[in-house]
Structure formats: structure tokens, C-alpha cells
Coordinates of all heavy atoms in Angstrom, one line a residue:
M103 N -9.5 2.3 5.7 CA -8.7 3.0 6.8 C -7.8 1.9 7.4 O -8.2 0.8 7.5 CB -9.6 3.6 7.8 CG -8.9 4.2 8.9 SD -10.0 5.0 10.0 CE -10.0 6.6 9.3
T104 N -6.6 2.3 7.7 CA -5.7 1.4 8.3 C -5.2 1.9 9.6 O -5.3 3.1 9.9 CB -4.4 1.1 7.4 OG1 -3.8 2.4 7.2 CG2 -4.9 0.5 6.1
E105 N -4.6 1.0 10.5 CA -4.0 1.5 11.7 C -2.6 0.8 11.9 O -2.4 -0.3 11.4 CB -4.9 1.1 12.9 CG -5.1 -0.3 13.1 CD -6.0 -0.6 14.3 OE1 -6.6 0.3 14.8 OE2 -6.1 -1.8 14.7
R106 N -1.7 1.5 12.5 CA -0.4 0.9 12.8 C -0.5 0.0 14.0 O -1.2 0.4 15.0 CB 0.7 1.9 13.0 CG 1.1 2.7 11.8 CD 1.8 1.8 10.8 NE 3.1 1.4 11.2 CZ 3.9 0.7 10.5 NH1 3.5 0.3 9.3 NH2 5.1 0.4 10.9
L107 N 0.1 -1.1 14.0 CA 0.0 -2.0 15.1 C 1.3 -2.0 16.0 O 2.0 -3.0 16.1 CB -0.3 -3.4 14.6 CG -1.6 -3.6 13.9 CD1 -1.8 -5.0 13.5 CD2 -2.7 -3.3 14.9
D108 N 1.6 -0.9 16.6 CA 2.8 -0.7 17.4 C 2.4 -0.8 18.9 O 3.3 -1.0 19.7 CB 3.5 0.6 17.1 CG 4.0 0.7 15.6 OD1 4.4 -0.4 15.1 OD2 4.0 1.7 15.1
D109 N 1.2 -0.6 19.2 CA 0.8 -0.6 20.6 C 0.4 -2.0 21.0 O -0.5 -2.6 20.5 CB -0.4 0.3 20.8 CG -1.0 0.4 22.2 OD1 -0.3 -0.1 23.1 OD2 -2.0 1.0 22.3
K110 N 1.0 -2.6 22.1 CA 0.7 -3.9 22.5 C -0.7 -4.1 23.1 O -1.2 -5.2 23.2 CB 1.8 -4.4 23.5 CG 3.1 -4.6 22.9 CD 4.1 -5.2 24.0 CE 5.4 -5.4 23.3 NZ 6.4 -6.0 24.3
S111 N -1.3 -3.0 23.4 CA -2.7 -3.1 24.0 C -3.7 -3.3 22.9 O -4.9 -3.6 23.1 CB -3.0 -1.8 24.7 OG -3.1 -0.7 23.9
T112 N -3.4 -3.1 21.6 CA -4.3 -3.3 20.5 C -4.6 -4.8 20.3 O -3.7 -5.6 20.3 CB -3.7 -2.8 19.2 OG1 -3.4 -1.4 19.4 CG2 -4.7 -2.9 18.0
I113 N -5.8 -5.2 20.2 CA -6.2 -6.6 19.9 C -5.5 -7.1 18.7 O -5.6 -6.4 17.6 CB -7.7 -6.8 19.8 CG1 -8.4 -6.4 21.2 CG2 -8.1 -8.2 19.4 CD1 -9.9 -6.4 21.1
G114 N -4.8 -8.2 18.8 CA -4.2 -8.8 17.6 C -2.9 -8.0 17.2 O -2.5 -8.1 16.1
S115 N -2.4 -7.2 18.1 CA -1.2 -6.4 17.7 C 0.0 -7.3 17.4 O 0.0 -8.4 17.7 CB -0.9 -5.4 18.9 OG -0.4 -6.1 20.0
S116 N 0.9 -6.7 16.7 CA 2.1 -7.4 16.2 C 3.3 -6.6 16.5 O 3.3 -5.4 16.4 CB 1.9 -7.6 14.7 OG 3.2 -8.0 14.2
Q117 N 4.4 -7.2 16.9 CA 5.6 -6.5 17.2 C 6.3 -6.1 15.9 O 7.2 -5.3 15.9 CB 6.5 -7.3 18.1 CG 6.0 -7.4 19.5 CD 6.9 -8.0 20.4 OE1 8.1 -8.0 20.1 NE2 6.5 -8.5 21.5
S118 N 5.8 -6.6 14.7 CA 6.5 -6.3 13.5 C 6.0 -5.0 12.9 O 6.6 -4.5 12.0 CB 6.1 -7.4 12.4 OG 4.7 -7.4 12.2
G119 N 5.0 -4.3 13.5 CA 4.5 -3.0 13.1 C 3.8 -3.1 11.8 O 3.8 -2.1 11.0
L120 N 3.1 -4.2 11.4 CA 2.4 -4.3 10.2 C 1.2 -3.3 10.2 O 0.7 -3.0 11.3 CB 1.8 -5.7 10.0 CG 2.8 -6.8 9.9 CD1 2.1 -8.2 9.9 CD2 3.6 -6.6 8.6
T121 N 0.8 -2.9 9.0 CA -0.4 -2.0 8.9 C -1.6 -2.9 8.5 O -1.5 -3.7 7.5 CB -0.1 -1.0 7.9 OG1 1.1 -0.3 8.2 CG2 -1.3 0.0 7.8
R122 N -2.7 -2.8 9.2 CA -3.8 -3.7 9.0 C -5.1 -2.8 8.8 O -5.2 -1.7 9.4 CB -4.0 -4.7 10.1 CG -2.9 -5.7 10.2 CD -3.2 -6.8 11.1 NE -2.2 -7.7 11.2 CZ -2.0 -8.8 10.4 NH1 -2.9 -9.0 9.5 NH2 -1.0 -9.6 10.6
C123 N -6.0 -3.3 8.0 CA -7.3 -2.6 7.8 C -8.1 -2.7 9.1 O -8.2 -3.8 9.7 CB -8.0 -3.3 6.7 SG -9.7 -2.6 6.4
V124 N -8.7 -1.6 9.5 CA -9.5 -1.6 10.8 C -10.9 -2.3 10.6 O -11.5 -2.6 11.5 CB -9.7 -0.2 11.4 CG1 -8.3 0.4 11.8 CG2 -10.4 0.7 10.4
T125 N -11.3 -2.4 9.3 CA -12.6 -3.1 9.0 C -12.5 -4.6 9.0 O -13.2 -5.3 9.6 CB -13.2 -2.5 7.7 OG1 -13.3 -1.1 7.8 CG2 -14.5 -3.2 7.4
C126 N -11.5 -5.1 8.1 CA -11.4 -6.5 7.9 C -10.2 -7.1 8.6 O -10.0 -8.3 8.6 CB -11.5 -6.9 6.4 SG -10.0 -6.4 5.5
Y127 N -9.3 -6.3 9.1 CA -8.1 -6.7 9.7 C -7.1 -7.4 8.8 O -6.2 -8.1 9.2 CB -8.4 -7.6 11.0 CG -7.3 -7.4 12.0 CD1 -7.1 -6.2 12.6 CD2 -6.5 -8.5 12.4 CE1 -6.1 -6.1 13.6 CE2 -5.5 -8.3 13.3 CZ -5.3 -7.1 13.9 OH -4.3 -7.0 14.9
D128 N -7.3 -7.2 7.5 CA -6.4 -7.8 6.5 C -5.2 -6.8 6.5 O -5.2 -5.7 6.7 CB -7.0 -7.9 5.2 CG -6.3 -8.8 4.2 OD1 -5.4 -9.5 4.7 OD2 -6.8 -8.9 3.1
E129 N -4.0 -7.4 6.1 CA -2.8 -6.7 6.0 C -2.7 -5.8 4.8 O -3.0 -6.3 3.7 CB -1.7 -7.7 6.0 CG -0.3 -7.1 6.3 CD 0.7 -8.2 6.4 OE1 0.4 -9.3 6.9 OE2 1.8 -7.9 6.0
A130 N -2.2 -4.6 4.9 CA -1.9 -3.7 3.7 C -0.4 -3.9 3.4 O 0.4 -4.0 4.4 CB -2.2 -2.3 4.0
M131 N 0.0 -4.0 2.2 CA 1.3 -4.3 1.8 C 1.9 -3.2 0.9 O 1.3 -2.7 0.0 CB 1.4 -5.6 1.0 CG 0.8 -6.8 1.7 SD 1.7 -7.3 3.1 CE 3.2 -7.8 2.3
P132 N 3.2 -2.9 1.2 CA 3.9 -1.9 0.3 C 4.2 -2.5 -1.0 O 4.6 -3.7 -1.1 CB 5.1 -1.5 1.1 CG 5.4 -2.6 2.0 CD 4.1 -3.3 2.3
A133 N 4.2 -1.7 -2.1 CA 4.5 -2.2 -3.4 C 5.1 -1.0 -4.2 O 4.6 0.1 -4.1 CB 3.3 -2.8 -4.1
K134 N 6.0 -1.3 -5.1 CA 6.7 -0.3 -6.0 C 5.9 -0.2 -7.3 O 5.7 -1.3 -7.9 CB 8.1 -0.6 -6.2 CG 8.8 0.3 -7.2 CD 9.8 1.3 -6.7 CE 10.6 1.1 -5.5 NZ 11.1 2.4 -5.1
V135 N 5.6 1.0 -7.8 CA 4.9 1.2 -9.0 C 6.0 1.0 -10.2 O 7.0 1.6 -10.2 CB 4.3 2.6 -9.2 CG1 3.7 2.8 -10.6 CG2 3.3 2.8 -8.1
L136 N 5.7 0.0 -11.0 CA 6.5 -0.3 -12.2 C 6.1 0.6 -13.4 O 7.0 1.1 -14.1 CB 6.5 -1.7 -12.6 CG 6.9 -2.7 -11.5 CD1 6.7 -4.1 -11.9 CD2 8.4 -2.4 -11.1
E137 N 4.8 0.6 -13.6 CA 4.3 1.5 -14.8 C 2.8 1.8 -14.5 O 2.1 1.1 -13.8 CB 4.5 0.7 -16.1 CG 3.7 -0.5 -16.2 CD 4.0 -1.3 -17.5 OE1 5.2 -1.7 -17.8 OE2 3.1 -1.4 -18.3
L138 N 2.4 2.9 -15.2 CA 1.0 3.3 -15.1 C 0.2 2.6 -16.2 O 0.8 2.5 -17.3 CB 0.9 4.8 -15.2 CG 1.6 5.6 -14.1 CD1 1.5 7.1 -14.3 CD2 1.2 5.2 -12.7
C139 N -1.0 2.3 -15.9 CA -1.9 1.6 -16.9 C -3.0 2.6 -17.2 O -3.1 3.7 -16.6 CB -2.4 0.3 -16.4 SG -1.1 -0.9 -15.9
D140 N -4.0 2.2 -18.0 CA -5.1 3.0 -18.3 C -6.1 3.1 -17.1 O -6.1 2.2 -16.2 CB -5.9 2.5 -19.5 CG -5.0 2.6 -20.7 OD1 -4.2 3.5 -20.8 OD2 -5.2 1.8 -21.7
D141 N -7.0 4.1 -17.1 CA -8.1 4.1 -16.1 C -7.7 4.0 -14.7 O -8.2 3.2 -13.9 CB -9.1 3.1 -16.4 CG -9.7 3.2 -17.8 OD1 -9.9 4.4 -18.3 OD2 -10.0 2.2 -18.5
H142 N -6.7 4.9 -14.2 CA -6.4 5.0 -12.8 C -5.9 3.6 -12.2 O -6.3 3.2 -11.2 CB -7.5 5.5 -12.0 CG -8.0 6.9 -12.4 ND1 -7.3 8.0 -12.1 CD2 -9.0 7.3 -13.2 CE1 -7.9 9.0 -12.6 NE2 -8.9 8.6 -13.3
Q143 N -5.0 3.0 -13.0 CA -4.5 1.7 -12.5 C -3.0 1.7 -12.7 O -2.5 2.4 -13.6 CB -5.1 0.5 -13.2 CG -6.6 0.4 -12.9 CD -7.1 -1.0 -13.2 OE1 -6.3 -1.9 -13.7 NE2 -8.3 -1.3 -13.0
A144 N -2.3 0.9 -11.9 CA -0.8 0.8 -12.0 C -0.4 -0.6 -11.9 O -1.0 -1.4 -11.1 CB -0.1 1.7 -11.0
L145 N 0.7 -1.0 -12.6 CA 1.3 -2.3 -12.4 C 2.3 -2.1 -11.2 O 3.2 -1.2 -11.3 CB 2.0 -2.7 -13.6 CG 2.8 -4.0 -13.5 CD1 1.9 -5.2 -13.3 CD2 3.6 -4.3 -14.8
V146 N 2.2 -2.9 -10.2 CA 3.1 -2.8 -9.0 C 3.8 -4.1 -8.8 O 3.4 -5.2 -9.2 CB 2.3 -2.4 -7.8 CG1 1.7 -1.0 -7.9 CG2 1.3 -3.4 -7.3
E147 N 4.9 -4.0 -8.0 CA 5.6 -5.2 -7.6 C 5.8 -5.2 -6.1 O 6.3 -4.2 -5.6 CB 7.0 -5.3 -8.3 CG 7.7 -6.6 -8.0 CD 9.0 -6.7 -8.8 OE1 9.9 -6.0 -8.6 OE2 9.0 -7.6 -9.7
Y148 N 5.4 -6.3 -5.5 CA 5.5 -6.4 -4.0 C 6.9 -6.9 -3.7 O 7.7 -7.3 -4.6 CB 4.5 -7.4 -3.5 CG 3.1 -7.0 -3.7 CD1 2.3 -7.4 -4.8 CD2 2.5 -6.2 -2.7 CE1 1.0 -7.0 -4.9 CE2 1.2 -5.7 -2.9 CZ 0.4 -6.1 -4.0 OH -0.9 -5.7 -4.1
R149 N 7.3 -6.8 -2.5 CA 8.7 -7.2 -2.1 C 8.9 -8.7 -2.4 O 10.1 -9.1 -2.6 CB 8.9 -7.0 -0.6 CG 8.9 -5.5 -0.2 CD 9.1 -5.4 1.3 NE 9.0 -4.0 1.6 CZ 8.8 -3.5 2.8 NH1 8.5 -4.3 3.8 NH2 8.8 -2.2 3.1
S150 N 7.9 -9.5 -2.4 CA 8.0 -10.9 -2.7 C 8.3 -11.2 -4.2 O 8.6 -12.3 -4.6 CB 6.7 -11.6 -2.4 OG 5.7 -11.2 -3.2
G151 N 8.2 -10.1 -5.0 CA 8.4 -10.2 -6.5 C 7.1 -10.4 -7.2 O 7.1 -10.4 -8.5
Q152 N 6.0 -10.6 -6.5 CA 4.7 -10.8 -7.2 C 4.3 -9.5 -7.8 O 4.5 -8.4 -7.2 CB 3.7 -11.3 -6.2 CG 2.3 -11.5 -6.7 CD 1.3 -11.9 -5.7 OE1 1.6 -11.9 -4.5 NE2 0.1 -12.2 -6.1
R153 N 3.7 -9.5 -9.0 CA 3.2 -8.3 -9.6 C 1.7 -8.3 -9.7 O 1.1 -9.4 -9.8 CB 3.8 -8.2 -11.0 CG 5.3 -7.9 -11.0 CD 5.8 -7.8 -12.4 NE 7.3 -7.5 -12.3 CZ 8.0 -7.1 -13.3 NH1 7.5 -7.0 -14.5 NH2 9.3 -6.8 -13.2
A154 N 1.1 -7.1 -9.7 CA -0.4 -7.0 -9.8 C -0.7 -5.7 -10.4 O 0.0 -4.7 -10.2 CB -1.0 -7.2 -8.4
C155 N -1.9 -5.6 -11.0 CA -2.5 -4.3 -11.4 C -3.4 -3.9 -10.3 O -4.3 -4.6 -9.9 CB -3.2 -4.5 -12.7 SG -3.6 -3.0 -13.5
V156 N -3.2 -2.6 -9.8 CA -4.0 -2.1 -8.7 C -4.7 -0.8 -9.1 O -4.2 -0.1 -9.9 CB -3.2 -2.0 -7.4 CG1 -2.6 -3.3 -7.0 CG2 -2.1 -0.9 -7.6
A157 N -5.8 -0.5 -8.4 CA -6.5 0.7 -8.6 C -5.8 1.9 -7.9 O -5.3 1.6 -6.7 CB -7.9 0.6 -8.1
T158 N -5.7 3.0 -8.5 CA -4.9 4.1 -7.9 C -5.8 5.4 -7.6 O -5.4 6.5 -7.5 CB -3.7 4.6 -8.7 OG1 -4.2 4.9 -10.0 CG2 -2.7 3.4 -8.8
D159 N -7.2 5.2 -7.6 CA -8.1 6.3 -7.5 C -7.9 7.1 -6.3 O -8.2 8.3 -6.3 CB -9.5 5.7 -7.6 CG -9.9 5.0 -8.9 OD1 -10.0 5.7 -9.9 OD2 -9.9 3.8 -8.9
F160 N -7.5 6.5 -5.2 CA -7.4 7.2 -3.9 C -6.1 7.9 -3.7 O -5.9 8.6 -2.7 CB -7.6 6.2 -2.7 CG -9.0 5.6 -2.7 CD1 -9.2 4.3 -2.4 CD2 -10.1 6.3 -3.1 CE1 -10.4 3.7 -2.4 CE2 -11.4 5.8 -3.1 CZ -11.5 4.4 -2.7
V161 N -5.1 7.7 -4.6 CA -3.8 8.3 -4.5 C -3.5 9.1 -5.7 O -3.3 8.6 -6.8 CB -2.7 7.2 -4.3 CG1 -1.3 7.8 -4.1 CG2 -3.0 6.2 -3.2
P162 N -3.5 10.5 -5.5 CA -3.4 11.3 -6.6 C -1.9 11.4 -7.1 O -1.0 11.1 -6.4 CB -3.8 12.7 -6.1 CG -3.6 12.6 -4.6 CD -3.8 11.2 -4.3
E163 N -1.8 11.6 -8.4 CA -0.5 11.8 -9.1 C 0.5 10.7 -8.8 O 1.7 10.9 -8.4 CB 0.1 13.1 -8.6 CG -0.7 14.3 -8.9 CD -0.1 15.6 -8.5 OE1 1.1 15.7 -8.2 OE2 -0.9 16.6 -8.3
V164 N 0.1 9.5 -9.1 CA 1.0 8.3 -8.9 C 2.0 8.3 -10.1 O 1.6 8.6 -11.2 CB 0.2 7.0 -9.0 CG1 1.1 5.8 -9.0 CG2 -0.7 6.9 -7.7
R165 N 3.2 8.0 -9.8 CA 4.3 7.9 -10.8 C 5.0 6.6 -10.7 O 5.1 6.1 -9.6 CB 5.3 9.1 -10.6 CG 4.8 10.4 -10.7 CD 5.9 11.4 -10.6 NE 5.4 12.7 -10.1 CZ 6.2 13.7 -9.8 NH1 7.5 13.6 -9.8 NH2 5.7 14.9 -9.4
A166 N 5.6 6.2 -11.8 CA 6.5 5.0 -11.7 C 7.6 5.3 -10.7 O 8.1 6.4 -10.6 CB 7.1 4.7 -13.1
G167 N 7.9 4.3 -9.9 CA 8.9 4.5 -8.8 C 8.3 4.8 -7.5 O 9.0 4.6 -6.5
D168 N 7.1 5.2 -7.4 CA 6.5 5.5 -6.1 C 6.3 4.2 -5.4 O 6.1 3.1 -6.0 CB 5.1 6.1 -6.3 CG 5.1 7.6 -6.6 OD1 6.2 8.2 -6.6 OD2 4.0 8.1 -7.0
T169 N 6.3 4.2 -4.1 CA 5.9 3.1 -3.2 C 4.6 3.3 -2.6 O 4.4 4.4 -2.0 CB 7.0 2.8 -2.1 OG1 8.2 2.6 -2.7 CG2 6.6 1.6 -1.3
L170 N 3.6 2.4 -2.9 CA 2.3 2.6 -2.4 C 1.9 1.5 -1.4 O 2.5 0.4 -1.4 CB 1.3 2.5 -3.6 CG 1.5 3.4 -4.8 CD1 0.6 3.1 -5.9 CD2 1.4 4.9 -4.4
L171 N 1.0 1.9 -0.6 CA 0.4 0.9 0.4 C -0.8 0.3 -0.3 O -1.8 1.1 -0.6 CB 0.1 1.6 1.7 CG -0.2 0.7 2.9 CD1 0.9 -0.3 3.2 CD2 -0.5 1.5 4.1
I172 N -0.9 -1.0 -0.5 CA -1.9 -1.7 -1.2 C -2.8 -2.5 -0.3 O -2.2 -3.3 0.5 CB -1.4 -2.6 -2.3 CG1 -0.3 -1.9 -3.2 CG2 -2.5 -3.2 -3.2 CD1 -0.9 -0.7 -4.0
H173 N -4.1 -2.4 -0.4 CA -5.0 -3.2 0.4 C -6.1 -3.7 -0.5 O -6.8 -2.8 -1.2 CB -5.6 -2.4 1.6 CG -6.7 -3.2 2.3 ND1 -6.5 -4.4 2.9 CD2 -8.0 -2.9 2.4 CE1 -7.6 -4.8 3.4 NE2 -8.6 -3.9 3.1
A174 N -6.3 -5.0 -0.7 CA -7.4 -5.5 -1.5 C -7.4 -5.0 -2.9 O -8.4 -4.7 -3.5 CB -8.8 -5.3 -0.8
G175 N -6.2 -4.9 -3.5 CA -6.1 -4.5 -4.9 C -6.3 -3.0 -5.1 O -6.4 -2.5 -6.2
V176 N -6.2 -2.2 -4.0 CA -6.4 -0.7 -4.1 C -5.3 0.0 -3.4 O -5.0 -0.4 -2.3 CB -7.8 -0.3 -3.5 CG1 -8.0 1.2 -3.6 CG2 -8.9 -1.0 -4.2
A177 N -4.7 0.9 -4.1 CA -3.7 1.8 -3.4 C -4.4 2.7 -2.5 O -5.3 3.5 -2.9 CB -2.9 2.5 -4.5
I178 N -4.0 2.6 -1.2 CA -4.7 3.5 -0.2 C -3.8 4.6 0.3 O -4.3 5.5 0.9 CB -5.2 2.6 1.0 CG1 -4.1 1.9 1.7 CG2 -6.3 1.7 0.5 CD1 -4.5 1.2 2.9
A179 N -2.5 4.6 0.0 CA -1.6 5.7 0.4 C -0.3 5.5 -0.3 O 0.1 4.5 -0.8 CB -1.4 5.6 1.9
R180 N 0.4 6.7 -0.4 CA 1.8 6.7 -0.9 C 2.7 6.7 0.3 O 2.5 7.5 1.3 CB 2.0 7.9 -1.7 CG 3.5 8.0 -2.3 CD 3.7 9.3 -3.1 NE 2.9 9.3 -4.3 CZ 1.8 10.1 -4.5 NH1 1.4 10.9 -3.5 NH2 1.2 10.1 -5.6
L181 N 3.6 5.8 0.4 CA 4.5 5.8 1.5 C 5.5 7.0 1.4 O 5.9 7.3 0.2 CB 5.3 4.5 1.6 CG 4.3 3.3 1.9 CD1 5.2 2.0 2.0 CD2 3.5 3.5 3.2
A182 N 5.9 7.5 2.5 CA 6.7 8.7 2.4 C 8.1 8.5 1.8 O 8.8 7.7 2.2 CB 6.9 9.2 3.9
E183 N 8.3 9.2 0.7 CA 9.5 9.2 0.0 C 9.7 10.6 -0.6 O 8.7 11.2 -1.1 CB 9.6 8.2 -1.2 CG 9.6 6.8 -0.7 CD 9.8 5.8 -1.9 OE1 10.7 6.1 -2.7 OE2 9.1 4.9 -1.9
E184 N 10.9 11.1 -0.6 CA 11.1 12.4 -1.2 C 11.1 12.3 -2.7 O 11.7 11.4 -3.3 CB 12.5 13.0 -0.8 CG 12.5 13.3 0.7 CD 11.5 14.4 1.1 OE1 11.4 15.4 0.3 OE2 10.9 14.3 2.1
R185 N 10.3 13.2 -3.4 CA 10.3 13.3 -4.8 C 11.2 14.4 -5.3 O 11.3 15.5 -4.6 CB 8.9 13.6 -5.3 CG 7.9 12.5 -5.2 CD 6.7 12.8 -6.0 NE 5.8 11.7 -6.0 CZ 4.7 11.7 -6.6 NH1 4.2 12.8 -7.2 NH2 3.9 10.7 -6.7
S186 N 11.9 14.2 -6.4 CA 12.8 15.2 -6.8 C 12.2 16.0 -7.9 O 11.2 15.7 -8.5 CB 14.2 14.7 -7.3 OG 14.0 13.6 -8.1

């Protein structure tokens, strides 16, 4: 589970609006899906250019081009984008 850190009253809040895990307080990062792999996994690329294979079990119907929110090597959400 993640929470948005937009409220200054939140402990450790950030004005950048980062999304952090409420359990370990680690940051979740957006990444673009480059290609789908076997067994509910996808190759993604972060904004930094780093690539990784992540689990997609929690996000149904992942497609190349989707932007996912990744935490600890697991896609936890699809970021809002219109699909055609």
C-alpha cells in the first residue's frame, strides 16, 4: 500500500509529492513497460534509464507502453493514462 505525501502534517512528508510505501517508507517509482516477459513479468525502464524485470501479478492486463508504479520489484499500480 502506498500513500501520497502532499500533506505537510505527514511524518517525513515531502513537497515533491513522492509516493512512498506505508509499511517500509521506501519510494515507489514510475516506469514504462518496454515488453512483456513470461510468468507475469515485464521489462520496464525507469526515468533514469535503468531497466529491470518486475512482477506484474497485482496489475491486470499490462501492455507495452503502460506506465506502472513499481515498489520493491513489483508493479503495484498502473498510472492513469488513456488507452486507445
Side-chain angles (χ1 to χ4, degrees):
M103 178 174 270
T104 60
E105 65 180 9
R106 287 297 286 181
L107 295 179
D108 296 327
D109 179 11
K110 289 185 179 184
S111 65
T112 304
I113 295 174
S115 67
S116 165
Q117 292 188 19
S118 65
L120 296 174
T121 304
R122 295 192 181 268
C123 176
V124 295
T125 303
C126 69
Y127 209 63
D128 200 6
E129 193 175 325
M131 302 294 295
K134 173 108 25 198
V135 176
L136 300 177
E137 63 184 63
L138 300 178
C139 304
D140 295 333
D141 299 326
H142 303 282
Q143 295 199 0
L145 177 65
V146 298
E147 183 173 72
Y148 296 94
R149 291 180 184 159
S150 65
Q152 180 182 8
R153 293 181 178 193
C155 194
V156 300
T158 60
D159 299 286
F160 298 140
V161 183
E163 301 180 20
V164 172
R165 298 185 205 171
D168 284 349
T169 301
L170 304 176
L171 191 59
I172 310 296
H173 172 63
V176 178
I178 58 174
R180 179 181 298 105
L181 295 182
E183 290 187 47
E184 292 297 319
R185 286 189 174 182
S186 47

